[in-house]
Amino acid sequence: MKAFVNSMTGRVFLALMVGIIASAALTQWLAVNERQRTLERYRNFHALERAEQIIETADVVRPESRAQYLAVASKSGVKLEIATDNDLTVHPPTEFSIALGQRLPRDFQVIPMAERPPPCVRPPRTLTVFGPGQWRGTCESVKIVMTDGQVLKLSILPPRGAPPTGHNEYAVFVPFLLCVAVLAYLITRMTVQPLKHLAQAAKDLGNDINKPPLELTGAAEIRQASAAFNAMQARIRQYIAQRTEMLAAITHDLQTPLTRMRLRLEKVGDQDLQQKLIGDLSAMQQMIREGLDLARSMDTNGAMQKLDLDSLLDSVCADALDAGQAVELKGHAGMALLGRPLDVRRCLVNLIDNAVKYGQKAHVTVERLAGAARIRIRDEGPGIPQDQLARVFEPFYRLESSRSRASGGTGLGLTIARNIAEQHGATLSLANGEGGGLEAVLTLPEFYAGK
């Protein structure tokens, strides 16, 4: 649940749900209040009409029969009865008493009372979806002096509460909330899905710069973003191709003058000077070859093939043993991977060469994981400082404090290995072993046919 709330989909969904429900609640609250005010105005007008009618009718009824008439006529919240006292103290007029005085003939006298009927003190509460509401209509008592001088008491009472319907009033909101949830989910999916496609495209772009461009579908803004993404991918691909071609051209063109220089060095009479110059020249040629390998490691145009990892590891380790390197292989993966054979071999060779060159011996261990294989290549060297583990992947970076210059190297081996690993969807990391030495961990994804 926490992951859903923290995701873009969850946030948009919750924002829509809260916004729609809040808007609906506000609209319903305004509608209920307006309906209540309309009902109160209608009730006040009806009470005024009814009071006028009863009073004028009671005036024509003979005094001895007036009490019986009033008992029958007092209905619908309008109660007219004979006053028990003749106190005609005038109190401040109310809106109802003024309106009633204007309607009745001048022979009648309307006197507001300070005392309110008992039902007005605690009127019945109207039940709404927002809880019980208080009746705010007319609720008061006035004295009416009839034309014959008799004093009557007119009470305007609040309406009686509506009888229960026997149904759950809140059950009607369940379909509403379901509709809101479905609508919010559809809008969220429609909004976030293109962003997920762009995020996945950006992730795939990091693994393969030559992925097919995005289809220009959807809303105008999404098509515009997709077109900008495709243009960015094309520019990046062009820049990488130009850099690779330039680096490959430079390293290739340098081979010819270096070869001529090596031939001319054979004519140098001073043997000591000759060996020094040949050593420097060999280092330059090694750097050029690794520069060319670096350029090739950034080229992703080669065809992918299904490879047997165990056979490839056996071949690489056997070649290393034949070359006089101390290499030990343990474990069995029993899985296939999809890759470019020469590139994957170059990656493994660089890691083993690095372990043997700086740690005297390479212990290679392979194990099967869920959907992947993990290859550990550990040496017997001193390791490297923790803060330098990430920097050794930078081109031409050599850690001189723990690795001797006499060991050679250009600082490109790990860079090339990491480039090849990333192009094959693999991960490469370095860590210092608990018992000493440096350990390179290469995790390769398994190949699934049809995926």
Side-chain angles (χ1 to χ4, degrees), residues 284-357:
M284 292 176 62
Q285 288 179 321
Q286 176 67 17
M287 184 178 295
I288 290 174
R289 282 195 295 270
E290 292 200 3
L292 186 58
D293 290 337
L294 177 62
R296 289 171 179 168
S297 71
M298 294 183 291
D299 185 9
T300 60
N301 293 323
M304 292 283 191
Q305 301 178 18
K306 181 181 178 181
L307 306 175
D308 184 84
L309 182 57
D310 292 320
S311 299
L312 184 60
L313 274 174
D314 289 338
S315 175
V316 171
C317 292
D319 291 345
L321 289 173
D322 292 341
Q325 295 178 328
V327 179
E328 181 186 24
L329 175 61
K330 293 182 180 180
H332 182 76
M335 60 164 265
L337 60 92
L338 186 66
R340 290 178 286 273
L342 295 179
D343 290 347
V344 178
R345 172 179 283 272
R346 168 58 62 187
C347 178
L348 295 173
V349 167
N350 283 8
L351 294 177
I352 293 176
D353 287 347
N354 193 74
V356 174
K357 185 183 298 181

Side-chain angles (χ1 to χ4, degrees), residues 347-402:
C347 178
L348 295 173
V349 167
N350 283 8
L351 294 177
I352 293 176
D353 287 347
N354 193 74
V356 174
K357 185 183 298 181
Y358 300 115
Q360 291 76 47
K361 186 175 182 179
H363 299 273
V364 182
T365 304
V366 59
E367 57 183 337
R368 179 74 174 272
L369 302 176
R374 182 164 58 196
I375 302 174
R376 301 178 182 269
I377 303 175
R378 182 175 56 84
D379 61 32
E380 297 180 354
I384 60 178
Q386 191 71 22
D387 58 346
Q388 301 293 318
L389 290 175
R391 294 201 62 190
V392 295
F393 287 108
E394 298 176 3
F396 302 106
Y397 182 83
R398 300 179 74 253
L399 190 66
E400 301 302 346
S401 60
S402 60

Side-chain angles (χ1 to χ4, degrees), residues 161-337:
T165 59
H167 302 285
N168 187 355
E169 301 294 338
Y170 296 97
V172 298
F173 288 95
V174 175
F176 170 74
L177 291 177
L178 290 178
C179 292
V180 168
V182 172
L183 177 62
Y185 175 77
L186 293 177
I187 295 177
T188 301
R189 182 179 176 85
M190 182 177 62
T191 304
V192 177
Q193 196 67 23
L195 298 179
K196 289 184 177 180
H197 289 162
L198 285 176
Q200 185 62 39
K203 182 179 179 180
D204 295 339
L205 181 64
N207 298 328
D208 184 6
I209 193 64
N210 294 313
K211 291 286 291 184
L214 295 175
E215 295 183 4
L216 303 182
T217 59
E221 294 80 3
I222 300 301
R223 293 197 303 270
Q224 184 178 1
S226 300
F229 184 89
N230 292 338
M232 178 193 69
Q233 179 181 358
R235 287 194 298 269
I236 294 176
R237 187 163 52 233
Q238 181 182 5
Y239 295 153
I240 293 177
Q242 290 176 351
R243 186 183 66 172
T244 304
E245 291 174 1
M246 180 181 65
L247 184 58
I250 292 174
T251 54
H252 180 271
D253 292 344
L254 285 176
Q255 294 284 357
T256 300
L258 288 176
T259 302
R260 289 199 301 265
M261 290 176 63
R262 192 178 188 88
L263 292 175
R264 290 169 182 172
L265 283 176
E266 300 294 336
K267 300 177 181 181
V268 176
D270 189 338
Q271 293 295 323
D272 186 45
L273 177 61
Q274 184 188 54
Q275 292 303 318
K276 291 180 180 180
L277 292 175
I278 290 177
D280 291 339
L281 190 61
S282 298
M284 292 176 62
Q285 288 179 321
Q286 176 67 17
M287 184 178 295
I288 290 174
R289 282 195 295 270
E290 292 200 3
L292 186 58
D293 290 337
L294 177 62
R296 289 171 179 168
S297 71
M298 294 183 291
D299 185 9
T300 60
N301 293 323
M304 292 283 191
Q305 301 178 18
K306 181 181 178 181
L307 306 175
D308 184 84
L309 182 57
D310 292 320
S311 299
L312 184 60
L313 274 174
D314 289 338
S315 175
V316 171
C317 292
D319 291 345
L321 289 173
D322 292 341
Q325 295 178 328
V327 179
E328 181 186 24
L329 175 61
K330 293 182 180 180
H332 182 76
M335 60 164 265
L337 60 92

Side-chain angles (χ1 to χ4, degrees), residues 12-149:
V12 174
F13 178 79
L14 291 178
L16 286 174
M17 282 288 293
V18 172
I20 294 176
I21 293 177
S23 300
L26 177 60
T27 303
Q28 183 70 10
W29 180 76
L30 293 174
V32 168
N33 283 346
E34 181 61 28
R35 183 179 62 184
Q36 185 72 8
R37 285 192 296 268
T38 302
L39 179 61
E40 291 168 356
R41 289 193 297 267
Y42 172 78
R43 180 75 179 185
N44 293 342
F45 178 78
H46 174 75
L48 188 62
E49 292 278 347
R50 180 65 177 168
E52 178 188 5
Q53 179 184 5
I54 295 177
I55 292 172
E56 291 182 347
T57 304
D59 186 60
V60 300
V61 176
R62 287 185 295 181
E64 61 272 15
S65 303
R66 189 170 291 169
Q68 297 178 354
Y69 166 73
L70 295 178
V72 176
S74 297
K75 295 179 180 179
S76 301
V78 179
K79 184 178 181 181
L80 187 62
E81 58 186 344
I82 299 175
T84 57
D85 61 80
N86 294 324
D87 182 14
L88 300 180
T89 304
V90 178
H91 296 279
T94 62
E95 182 180 353
F96 177 80
S97 63
I98 295 175
L100 182 60
Q102 294 174 351
R103 281 176 168 266
L104 293 175
R106 296 190 178 187
D107 298 336
F108 294 89
Q109 186 179 0
V110 179
I111 303 175
M113 295 178 61
E115 179 185 359
R116 303 180 68 196
C120 296
V121 179
R122 299 187 63 181
R125 301 171 70 85
T126 57
L127 186 62
T128 67
V129 292
F130 301 99
Q134 192 75 30
W135 174 259
R136 298 183 298 267
T138 300
C139 189
E140 59 183 273
S141 296
V142 296
K143 286 186 177 180
I144 309 296
V145 180
M146 307 296 285
T147 57
D148 57 3

